[in-house]
């Protein structure tokens, strides 16, 4: 539907309906809090489960999928139905789920909830439909994965162990069938007892006992030996037919003592795998087992191959690992070629076929959390040459020493390639920028970086401003520093890093509201109600922050990519630290960068390296201050470095302002902790959007907003300072009497005020570097409810008027080349109306605050549209974006609602409850972009992308990749002539005969409850969701065919019997006839 805005003639083409809005697209990053791992060796698909009930599936690079269990319970184990397009997940709430992977968005077909027993371990044999489920009580139940019902066959713990044993063996920790005999089941109990159970005779063949607790068990492929890992760091290898004692005991990391004594006990070996090769010694791969005296040593994966033992250190704790083998058959030589190691915060693949065991280069974007994320910005419709440029410089940053083989997880197929696909589906790391390189490193080697302690990192980045067209990048750090970067393809060495120091502090005498209401005086350090809030440790930390953020005074080699143009540092004034920067903007056409905080605003000319403006917030009002605030006198000495700067300084520093600096002043009691870090924060540039990573806020410590949410004037006493909350460069009408647009800066504050600053720029070329930029307030003041969040401008057709920008060009070139390009040196791209346009061809300013949105007609400055967005909540993020060839205002509120409004009419288009504000991570990272896209940091390691575009939702199914692809199952290993002749090969088992209802009966209904999946029976029958259904139908068809063949055989037998009877009768008749003749 569409509507016409009468005053502007602009037609809104955005849809009103909400269908398809709440549409999650994909999730990127490393699975948060991983807990389980599984791999399909035929489909080449990897699955990871998490403690929050999430399920992440990975195929070839670009093929990823995210699913979520509704209960949110932790995933304790995953089992693929190999090459059948299905997955079984076992959760901590004792529920089993069967996932269908044959559709682009996997869905649950069946669920089975255990009521009386707790699930501890599951095992699904290859090409079997019967799932073994071990429980905490030590019993084993068997589930039919086709119908997801329990079999009446149960292995009870008291029948499995010695009858003479009076103690409980503990929970089941392992189940597996003998590779050479499917009728023999190996059961491992936590206490150290292992039982080889005969499924047919329903009794134990052998029992193996050990003093130490068991963590895992693994078979040799010939089925004659198995290996156990124990809690004392030992491995025991057992011969199947020798249960009295282990064939061999190994302590991989134990110190061998003299006199034949046992080695000292080590840490538990949590998992072991036993893999064989045709041409050499078997591989024994294990995690854990280190000696107790290796304090501080990182977690290790140990690879034992023949006489060599390799200890591979990991950066994080090992959650699980799997060995990738050439064959899915357990009774054949395994031929391992790689190990997948799931770490607490990383995924590592190790190449076993190359010397030194190098790792594979990970193609997935799993390093988002390399340092915790503090800020996200999402850019769409970037210049066509930007992505190749970032990729070319980013490719030089790649580490060396990776395996030369291709990534082994290669399953699935990409979705339909469309123009929108790259924005909706894939994510690729293009470039990383270390912002801490500009500062001096700590000399204390004992101060190791700790990314978990984020409040104490002085390099954490809070705000970014990026111009994709000119490739200028500006970042603001938590220590009140601003770094300006310029993109270059050339490597340079900077002898002296350009730096400016800015003092930004002011105070006021009294505050009076416009309606005459008196405001309580601001607190001072001497009259503070909480004198203990300032202590020695905090002062020490502030001092350390200042010392740590000292710019290097030595030459800096800068690689191709983003290179430092200028560093701006807010310095201490009157013994008080600078306040954090709350807003930031850069403009390449003007060569200016501007930033503000709760004290005021500063503007810097980064071309001339000078400060143009340094004002307290109240000085921007001049004589038009509605609060009638006055700076105290006498003023402090002005800055000596720049003669033209203006600043109002004071000795007053509010106690309440100190409390707002929670993002870099730790409130913990770790007084003995050191605060010097060598941690290098990273900036990640991703395809079609920019993501900046640095040390993140703490979810527990920082759970409140730092700026006031009140729209009333009385909020001044709560906030104590009017902070700069929004900045926007533009070419527009600055005053009511203007007849043509001019460069200016629009400034928004936390008290809902918008002020306009006029910029008088010198001519381009050499004059731009010689003549100063004249900056002066225009006197224009606009007011809204709540803090100003976003500002933008529209022309008379309703099209967005972006800020002027300079096209990118290479600055690090020789003078000859520079002389040729001098004509192109300063050619800003202006999008403002031309001088030939009449005054009636005006503009519209769109201003969004935390409470309301207004559309102001320019130059008349009349409010033509106003909409109160929320009364009971407040807007966290507002962006003016393009969607369906139109412009709209998209807002995300603290109450979880996502709203969209047409422009300029501010007609509501969407109002959907999407996501409640559960933590500050969402508030600080949620952002919108063009084409109906949005993203936020859903966990410390993952980005969730969503769409509010109907068109994208409709095309999403085609864009998604396919996890399951038809692949033939490899042929079973050949038993050989002699093994087949003498019965030495693998023994099969008719499990249906043992576990079927006819043989074992029905299980107790109270033991487990079957829950149909969302698709129900119809989904099982459907072609898209016929994972096990196809197998069931095939088997049903075989049964029907067998039944018909049986009936035919019976009829044939009856006919034969009739023929025999007829023959006998005929013979008797002939004999009788012969006798009668005689």
């Amino acid at each position: 539907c569409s509507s016409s805005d009468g005053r502007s003639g602009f037609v809104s083409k955005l849809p009103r309906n909400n269908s398809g809005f709440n549409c999650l697209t994909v999730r990127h990053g490393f699975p948060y809090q991983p807990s389980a791992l599984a791999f399909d060796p035929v489909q080449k698909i990897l699955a990871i489960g998490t403690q929050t009930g999430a399920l992440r599936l990975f195929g070839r690079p670009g093929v990823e999928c995210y699913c979520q269990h509704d209960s949110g319970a932790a995933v304790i184990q995953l089992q693929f139905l190999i090459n059948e397009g299905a997955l079984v997940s076992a959760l901590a709430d004792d529920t089993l789920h069967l996932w269908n992977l044959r559709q682009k968005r996997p869905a649950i077909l069946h669920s089975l909830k255990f009521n009386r027993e707790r699930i501890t371990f599951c095992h699904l044999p290859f090409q079997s439909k019967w799932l073994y489920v071990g429980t905490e009580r030590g019993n084993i139940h068997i589930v039919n994965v086709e119908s997801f019902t329990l079999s009446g066959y149960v292995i009870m713990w008291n029948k499995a162990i010695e009858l003479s044993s009076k103690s409980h063996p503990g929970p089941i920790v392992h189940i597996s069938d003998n590779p050479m005999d499917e009728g023999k089941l190996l059961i491992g109990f936590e206490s150290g007892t292992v039982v080889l159970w005969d499924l047919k005779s329903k009794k134990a063949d052998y029992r193996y006992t050990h003093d130490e607790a068991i963590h895992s068990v693994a078979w040799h492929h010939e089925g004659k030996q198995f290996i156990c890992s124990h809690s004392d760091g030992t491995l025991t290898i057992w011969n199947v037919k020798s249960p009295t004692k282990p064939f061999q005991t190994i302590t991989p990391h134990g110190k061998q003592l003299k006199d034949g004594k046992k080695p000292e006990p080590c840490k538990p070996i949590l998992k072991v795998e036993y893999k064989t090769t045709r041409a050499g010694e078997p591989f024994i791969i294990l995690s854990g087992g280190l000696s107790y005296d290796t304090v501080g040593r990182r977690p290790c994966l140990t690879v034992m191959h023949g006489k060599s033992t390799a200890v591979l250190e990991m950066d994080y704790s090992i959650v699980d690992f799997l060995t990738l083998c050439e064959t899915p058959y357990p009774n054949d030589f395994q031929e391992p070629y790689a190990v997948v190691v799931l770490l607490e915060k990383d995924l590592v693949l190790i190449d076993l076929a190359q010397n030194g065991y190098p790792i594979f280069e990970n193609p997935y974007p799993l390093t988002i959390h390399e340092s915790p994320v503090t800020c996200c910005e999402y850019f769409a419709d970037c210049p066509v040459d930007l992505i190749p440029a970032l990729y070319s410089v980013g490719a030089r940053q790649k580490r060396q020493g990776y395996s030369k083989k291709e990534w082994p997880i290669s399953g699935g197929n990409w979705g339909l390639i469309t123009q929108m696909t790259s924005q909706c589906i894939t994510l690729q790391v293009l470039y990383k920028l270390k912002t801490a390189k500009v500062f001096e490193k700590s000399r204390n080697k004992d101060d190791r970086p700790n990314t978990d302690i984020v409040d104490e990192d002085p390099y954490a980045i809070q705000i970014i401003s990026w111009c994709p067209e000119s490739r200028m990048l500006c970042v603001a750090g938590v220590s009140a520093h601003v770094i300006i970067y310029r993109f270059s393809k050339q490597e340079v060495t900077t002898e002296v890093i350009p730096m400016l120091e800015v003092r930004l502090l002011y105070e006021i005498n009294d505050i009076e509201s416009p309606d005459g209401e008196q405001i309580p005086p601001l607190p001072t350090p001497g009259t503070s109600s909480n004198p203990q809030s300032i202590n020695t440790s905090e002062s020490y930390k502030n001092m350390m922050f200042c010392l740590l953020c000292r710019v290097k005074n030595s030459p800096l080699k800068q690689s191709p990519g983003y290179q430092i143009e200028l560093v701006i540092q807010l310095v201490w004034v009157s013994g008080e630290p600078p306040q954090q920067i709350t807003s930031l903007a850069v403009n390449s056409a003007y060569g200016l960068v501007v930033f503000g905080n709760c004290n005021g605003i500063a503007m810097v000319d980064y071309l001339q390296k000078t400060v143009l403006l340094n004002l307290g917030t109240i000085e921007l009002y001049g004589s038009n201050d509605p609060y009638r605030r006055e700076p105290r006198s006498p003023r402090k000495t002005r800055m000596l470095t720049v003669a033209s700067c203006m600043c109002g300084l004071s000795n007053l520093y509010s106690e309440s302002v100190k409390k707002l600096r929670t993002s870099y002043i730790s409130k913990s009691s770790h007084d003995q902790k050191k605060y010097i870090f060598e941690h290098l924060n990273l900036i990640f540039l991703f395809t079609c959007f920019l993501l900046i990573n640095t040390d993140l806020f703490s979810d527990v410590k920082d759970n409140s907003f730092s700026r006031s949410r009140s729209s009333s004037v009385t909020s001044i006493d709560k906030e104590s300072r009017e902070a700069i909350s929004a900045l926007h460069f533009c070419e527009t009408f600055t005053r009511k009497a203007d007849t043509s647009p001019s460069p200016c800066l629009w400034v928004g504050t936390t008290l809902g005020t918008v002020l306009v600053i006029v910029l008088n720029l010198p001519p381009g070329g050499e004059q731009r570097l010689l003549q100063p930029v004249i900056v002066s307030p225009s006197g224009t003041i606009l007011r809204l409810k709540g803090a100003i969040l976003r500002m933008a401008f529209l022309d008379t057709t309703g099209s967005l008027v972006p800020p002027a920008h300079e096209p990118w060009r290479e600055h690090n070139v020789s003078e000859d080349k520079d002389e040729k390009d001098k004509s192109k040196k300063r050619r800003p791209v202006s999008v403002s109306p031309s001088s030939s346009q009449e005054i009636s061809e005006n503009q519209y300013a769109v201003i969004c605050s935390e409470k309301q949105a207004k559309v102001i007609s320019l130059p008349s400055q009349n409010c033509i549209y106003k909409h109160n967005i929320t009364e009971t909540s407040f807007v966290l993020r507002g962006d003016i974006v393009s969607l369906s060839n139109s412009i709209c205002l998209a807002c995300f509120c603290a109450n979880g609602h996502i709203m969209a409004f047409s422009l300029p009419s501010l007609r509501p288009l969407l109002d959907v409850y999407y996501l409640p504000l559960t933590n500050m991570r969402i508030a600080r990272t949620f952002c919108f972009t063009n084409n109906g896209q949005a993203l936020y940091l859903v966990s410390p390691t993952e980005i969730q992308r969503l769409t509010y575009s109907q068109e994208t939702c409709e095309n999403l199914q085609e864009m998604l990749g396919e996890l399951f692809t038809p692949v033939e199952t490899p042929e079973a290993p050949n038993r050989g002539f002699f093994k087949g002749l003498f019965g030495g090969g693998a023994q099969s088992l008719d499990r249906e005969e043992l576990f079927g209802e006819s043989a074992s009966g029905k299980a107790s209904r109270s033991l487990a409850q079957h829950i149909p999946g969302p698709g129900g029976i119809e989904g099982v029958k459907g072609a898209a969701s016929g994972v096990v259904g196809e197998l069931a139908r095939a088997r049903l068809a075989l049964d029907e065919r067998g039944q018909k063949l049986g009936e035919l055989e019976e009829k044939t037998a009856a006919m034969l019997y009739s023929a025999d009877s007829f023959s006998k009768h005929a013979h008797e008749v002939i004999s009788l006839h012969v006798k009668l003749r005689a």
Side-chain angles (χ1 to χ4, degrees):
C1 63
S2 62
S3 66
S4 176
D5 299 332
R7 301 191 186 185
S8 63
F10 169 61
V11 178
S12 174
K13 301 178 182 178
L14 294 176
R16 272 184 182 273
N17 62 312
N18 296 340
S19 61
F21 169 76
N22 191 357
C23 182
L24 300 178
T25 53
V26 288
R27 183 170 291 194
H28 301 295
F30 182 78
Y32 183 57
Q33 294 180 335
S35 58
L37 181 67
F39 182 71
D40 188 326
V42 179
Q43 286 290 319
K44 309 285 187 185
I45 296 292
L46 184 74
I48 298 176
T50 73
Q51 296 180 26
T52 57
L55 186 63
R56 295 283 299 277
L57 298 155
F58 297 91
R60 66 179 60 193
V63 178
E64 299 179 29
C65 186
Y66 160 75
C67 310
Q68 177 68 46
H69 295 90
D70 292 337
S71 66
V75 180
I76 59 175
Q77 197 173 353
L78 297 171
Q79 287 275 312
F80 272 103
L81 278 69
I82 295 176
N83 203 29
E84 290 190 24
L87 177 73
V88 175
S89 59
L91 305 188
D93 63 354
D94 309 308
T95 307
L96 297 174
H97 300 278
L98 177 65
W99 290 86
N100 171 26
L101 306 183
R102 294 200 179 199
Q103 57 194 46
K104 291 188 174 181
R105 285 198 176 275
I108 294 177
L109 295 178
H110 298 283
S111 298
L112 191 66
K113 170 69 175 176
F114 280 74
N115 298 322
R116 295 184 302 183
E117 297 199 55
R118 308 218 59 185
I119 299 173
T120 57
F121 194 87
C122 297
H123 171 64
L124 180 64
F126 179 46
Q127 294 182 326
S128 170
K129 70 172 185 178
W130 298 98
L131 174 71
Y132 301 103
V133 181
T135 68
E136 195 174 43
R137 292 185 180 180
N139 304 324
I140 295 179
H141 302 276
I142 301 171
V143 178
N144 186 323
V145 293
E146 290 182 2
S147 61
F148 239 56
T149 55
L150 279 174
S151 167
Y153 192 110
V154 181
I155 303 175
M156 304 300 291
W157 68 270
N158 53 355
K159 294 183 180 180
I161 65 171
E162 293 280 359
L163 298 178
S164 59
S165 177
K166 297 181 181 180
S167 60
H168 191 279
I172 299 287
V173 296
H174 179 81
I175 306 172
S176 62
D177 47 353
N178 189 313
M180 286 296 180
D181 190 351
E182 296 176 351
K184 309 293 184 181
L185 196 67
L186 195 68
I187 306 169
F189 296 92
E190 188 181 56
S191 63
T193 300
V194 179
V195 176
L196 187 65
W197 182 264
D198 190 316
L199 292 169
K200 292 181 180 179
S201 63
K202 299 183 180 180
K203 65 178 183 179
D205 283 352
Y206 300 102
R207 297 180 179 91
Y208 316 84
T209 57
H210 193 71
D211 297 335
E212 297 294 334
I214 290 177
H215 286 275
S216 69
V217 184
W219 278 102
H220 188 281
H221 86 276
E222 293 180 348
K224 298 178 181 180
Q225 287 184 338
F226 62 88
I227 186 170
C228 301
S229 68
H230 298 279
S231 58
D232 63 345
T234 59
L235 299 173
T236 55
I237 300 177
W238 299 79
N239 285 333
V240 171
K241 296 184 178 180
S242 301
T244 54
K245 65 175 183 178
F247 168 74
Q248 186 179 4
T249 301
I250 306 172
T251 309
H253 298 286
K255 294 181 179 180
Q256 298 297 331
L257 302 178
K258 297 180 180 180
D259 302 330
K261 294 182 180 179
K262 289 184 178 181
E264 295 180 358
C266 297
K267 297 177 183 178
I269 297 177
L270 302 179
K271 186 175 181 179
V272 63
E273 291 201 346
Y274 198 7
K275 303 299 180 181
T276 55
T277 60
R278 294 182 187 275
E281 297 289 336
F283 282 87
I284 298 178
I285 305 170
L286 56 104
S287 62
L290 295 178
S291 175
Y292 280 104
D293 60 3
T294 56
V295 179
R297 188 171 182 179
R298 294 189 293 180
C300 296
L301 184 79
T302 304
V303 180
M304 303 172 65
H305 186 216
K307 295 182 179 180
S308 67
T309 299
V311 181
L312 309 177
E313 290 191 345
M314 303 294 161
D315 292 332
Y316 306 101
S317 300
I318 297 175
V319 177
D320 197 1
F321 73 89
L322 290 173
T323 307
L324 307 188
C325 302
E326 297 288 351
T327 177
Y329 294 94
N331 58 357
D332 194 10
F333 286 97
Q334 300 300 289
E335 302 295 342
Y337 60 88
V339 180
V340 182
V341 188
L342 178 63
L343 305 178
E344 187 180 14
K345 295 182 180 180
D346 201 0
L347 180 69
V348 177
L349 261 73
I350 300 169
D351 187 353
L352 293 178
Q354 287 187 237
N355 294 332
Y357 304 129
I359 64 173
F360 290 87
E361 184 178 7
N362 198 323
Y364 306 131
L366 300 182
T367 55
I368 293 171
H369 64 287
E370 189 167 340
S371 61
V373 180
T374 56
C375 178
C376 290
E377 293 294 339
Y378 196 179
F379 294 86
D381 302 327
C382 295
V384 293
D385 60 341
L386 178 63
I387 304 303
L390 292 173
Y391 182 84
S392 63
V393 296
R396 305 180 189 181
Q397 298 178 329
K398 292 184 178 180
R399 293 171 46 191
Q400 303 297 322
Y402 288 112
S403 171
K404 297 179 181 179
K405 294 184 178 180
E406 294 185 359
W407 184 252
I409 304 171
S410 56
N413 284 326
W414 293 309
L416 179 67
I417 304 298
T418 67
Q419 185 177 3
M420 293 285 293
T421 303
S422 62
Q423 297 179 7
C424 298
I425 302 302
T426 61
L427 181 73
Q428 180 183 4
V429 178
L430 294 176
Y431 178 72
K432 299 179 183 180
L433 176 62
K434 298 180 179 180
T435 63
K437 280 187 174 181
V438 69
F439 301 109
E440 295 284 357
K441 290 184 178 180
S442 167
R443 297 181 181 179
N444 193 338
K445 297 181 180 180
D446 296 332
D447 293 324
R448 298 188 60 177
N450 185 350
T451 57
D452 294 330
I453 307 174
V454 297
D455 283 349
E456 300 166 352
D457 192 335
Y459 308 131
I461 296 173
Q462 287 186 306
I463 312 173
I464 62 172
S465 178
W466 189 43
C467 177
E469 290 78 14
S470 65
R471 305 179 191 174
M472 292 298 298
L473 173 66
C474 191
V475 300
V478 72
S479 299
H481 62 270
V482 175
I483 309 176
I484 305 168
Y485 291 93
R486 188 187 294 274
F487 187 85
S488 175
K489 295 182 179 180
Q490 308 292 327
E491 181 179 296
V492 297
T493 300
T494 304
E495 297 296 330
V496 179
I497 298 175
M499 187 189 70
L500 282 177
E501 290 187 351
V502 177
R503 291 172 172 81
L504 196 58
L505 186 67
Y506 82 105
E507 69 170 3
I508 54 178
N509 270 329
D510 298 308
I511 300 176
E512 297 181 5
S513 63
D515 55 4
E517 182 178 345
Q518 281 295 106
I519 307 299
L522 299 175
T524 62
T527 61
S528 171
S529 60
N530 184 18
Q532 296 179 353
S533 60
I534 301 179
N535 53 48
T536 307
S537 64
E538 287 187 1
S539 302
Y540 173 71
K541 277 185 257 184
N542 293 341
M543 185 179 298
M544 294 308 299
F545 274 20
C546 184
L547 294 176
L548 280 169
C549 289
R550 292 190 304 178
V551 177
K552 287 183 178 179
N553 54 11
S554 58
L556 179 64
K557 183 179 180 181
Q558 302 193 70
S559 303
Y562 276 99
Q563 300 170 352
I564 299 168
E565 176 78 7
L566 178 65
V567 178
I568 306 168
Q569 180 72 59
L570 290 182
V571 297
W572 289 39
V573 178
S574 301
E576 297 295 342
Q579 295 300 292
Q580 290 183 12
I581 295 169
T582 56
S583 57
L584 176 70
V586 64
N587 187 280
S588 59
Y590 307 154
L592 303 178
V593 63
V594 61
F595 55 92
N597 59 13
C598 63
N599 288 332
I601 186 173
M603 185 183 298
V604 172
D605 184 342
Y606 64 78
L607 298 177
Q608 298 186 22
K609 309 294 188 294
T610 57
V611 179
L612 302 175
L613 182 72
N614 186 359
L615 287 177
T617 310
I618 59 172
E619 294 178 298
L620 291 174
Y621 290 91
S623 60
N624 299 322
D625 184 9
Y627 307 106
R628 296 190 289 277
R629 295 165 292 186
E630 295 180 2
R632 277 194 185 175
S633 56
R635 289 174 177 260
K636 296 294 181 181
T637 305
R638 303 193 178 203
M639 292 178 59
L640 300 178
T641 56
V642 181
S644 61
C645 68
M646 299 170 287
C647 59
L649 304 176
S650 142
N651 294 325
L652 177 64
Y653 182 70
S654 171
E655 189 74 26
S656 59
V657 175
K658 282 182 179 286
K659 298 176 183 178
L660 297 178
R661 294 186 289 108
T662 57
S663 58
Y664 76 97
I665 296 181
S666 172
K667 303 297 183 184
S668 65
S669 59
H670 298 258
D671 293 334
Q672 304 300 324
K673 195 178 294 292
K674 298 178 181 179
Y675 301 102
I676 303 177
F677 295 93
E678 297 179 358
H679 181 61
L680 300 179
N681 299 306
L682 308 176
I683 296 180
F684 289 80
L685 290 170
F686 291 102
T687 304
C688 300
F689 72 97
L690 180 68
L691 173 68
I692 293 203
N693 284 279
T694 58
D695 281 335
L696 183 63
F697 47 85
S698 171
D699 291 336
V700 178
K701 297 178 184 177
D702 191 359
N703 56 9
S704 62
F705 290 93
S706 61
R707 61 173 186 264
S708 173
R709 300 299 175 186
S710 173
S711 60
S712 65
V713 178
T714 57
S715 63
I716 298 178
D717 67 309
K718 300 176 184 178
E719 189 173 74
S720 78
R721 298 291 171 92
E722 182 179 9
I724 306 297
S725 58
L727 297 165
H728 187 82
F729 284 104
C730 57
E731 291 191 14
T732 186
F733 303 92
T734 58
R735 302 177 179 88
K736 293 182 179 180
D738 286 354
T739 58
S740 62
S742 59
C744 60
L745 171 70
W746 285 51
V747 181
T749 74
T750 53
L751 296 185
T753 304
V754 176
L755 305 110
V756 182
I757 297 176
V758 181
L759 307 175
N760 190 350
L761 301 171
E766 294 182 359
Q767 295 299 316
R768 174 62 184 86
L769 302 177
L770 299 176
Q771 298 182 19
V773 177
I774 306 301
V775 180
S776 60
S778 67
T780 298
I781 298 178
L782 306 173
R783 291 194 55 79
L784 281 79
K785 292 181 181 179
I788 305 299
L789 298 180
R790 195 72 58 194
M791 295 174 285
F793 295 86
L794 308 177
D795 60 19
T796 53
T797 65
S799 300
L800 187 66
V801 180
H805 60 269
E806 177 194 55
W808 177 82
R809 68 178 186 88
E810 180 60 67
H811 282 253
N812 297 324
V813 293
S814 61
E815 293 184 1
D816 295 338
K817 292 183 180 180
D818 191 50
E819 196 68 30
K820 295 179 182 179
D821 296 338
K822 186 166 286 189
S823 60
K824 303 179 182 179
K825 187 172 185 180
R826 286 272 133 201
R827 189 179 293 174
V829 178
S830 176
V831 290
S832 60
S834 62
S835 58
S836 62
Q837 292 177 316
E838 299 178 0
I839 188 61
S840 60
E841 298 290 325
N842 50 16
Q843 293 181 344
Y844 299 98
V846 181
I847 307 173
C848 176
S849 74
E850 293 175 328
K851 291 290 185 179
Q852 65 178 192
K854 284 185 179 181
V855 176
I856 310 295
S857 177
L858 299 177
S860 64
Q861 299 182 9
N862 294 325
C863 178
I864 59 174
Y865 295 107
K866 180 175 73 171
H867 184 82
N868 292 325
I869 300 175
T870 178
E871 295 293 342
T872 59
S873 184
F874 53 90
V875 179
L876 289 169
R877 177 79 182 214
D879 286 298
I880 291 87
V881 296
S882 64
L883 176 63
S884 302
N885 299 321
S886 300
I887 305 299
C888 73
L889 169 64
C891 299
F892 174 54
C893 297
N895 59 10
H897 283 250
I898 293 181
M899 304 178 181
F901 305 92
S902 66
L903 290 176
S905 65
L906 293 177
R907 177 173 57 88
L909 301 174
L910 293 171
D911 186 358
V912 178
Y913 178 76
Y914 170 69
L915 179 73
L917 181 61
T918 55
N919 54 56
M920 286 297 297
R921 184 191 312 111
I922 299 173
R924 298 194 185 192
T925 58
F926 198 102
C927 54
F928 298 94
T929 191
N930 296 335
N931 305 319
Q933 304 293 312
L935 67 80
Y936 61 94
L937 203 69
V938 68
S939 73
T941 63
E942 295 171 291
I943 292 174
Q944 179 65 58
R945 299 168 70 180
L946 58 99
T947 179
Y948 50 98
S949 166
Q950 181 70 27
E951 180 184 358
T952 304
C953 286
E954 293 173 352
N955 298 329
L956 183 61
Q957 190 67 18
E958 296 181 353
M959 297 177 187
L960 292 172
E962 296 180 354
L963 288 169
F964 178 81
T965 54
V967 179
E968 290 187 7
T969 303
E971 294 184 2
N974 189 1
R975 293 193 298 169
F977 174 75
F978 290 103
K979 286 187 177 181
L981 182 63
F982 298 105
Q987 302 295 318
S988 60
L989 174 70
D990 188 354
R991 295 186 177 91
E992 183 71 31
E993 182 180 344
L994 281 176
F995 307 143
E997 186 176 329
S998 59
S1000 60
K1002 293 184 178 179
S1004 173
R1005 291 185 178 180
S1006 61
L1007 180 61
Q1009 177 187 0
H1010 176 262
I1011 305 171
I1017 301 298
E1018 312 228 336
V1020 178
K1021 292 181 178 178
S1025 59
V1027 183
V1028 185
E1030 286 189 5
L1031 181 61
R1033 286 194 295 273
R1035 292 185 176 178
L1036 180 60
L1038 289 175
D1039 291 342
E1040 292 176 354
R1041 184 184 175 202
Q1043 185 177 356
K1044 291 179 179 179
L1045 289 174
E1047 292 175 357
L1048 181 61
E1049 186 178 357
E1050 290 177 359
K1051 291 180 179 180
T1052 305
M1055 291 177 66
L1056 288 174
Y1057 179 75
S1058 299
D1060 289 340
S1061 298
F1062 179 76
S1063 176
K1064 288 179 181 180
H1065 288 301
H1067 183 68
E1068 289 175 358
V1069 170
I1070 293 173
S1071 299
L1072 182 61
H1073 182 68
V1074 170
K1075 288 180 181 180
L1076 289 175
R1077 272 191 172 188

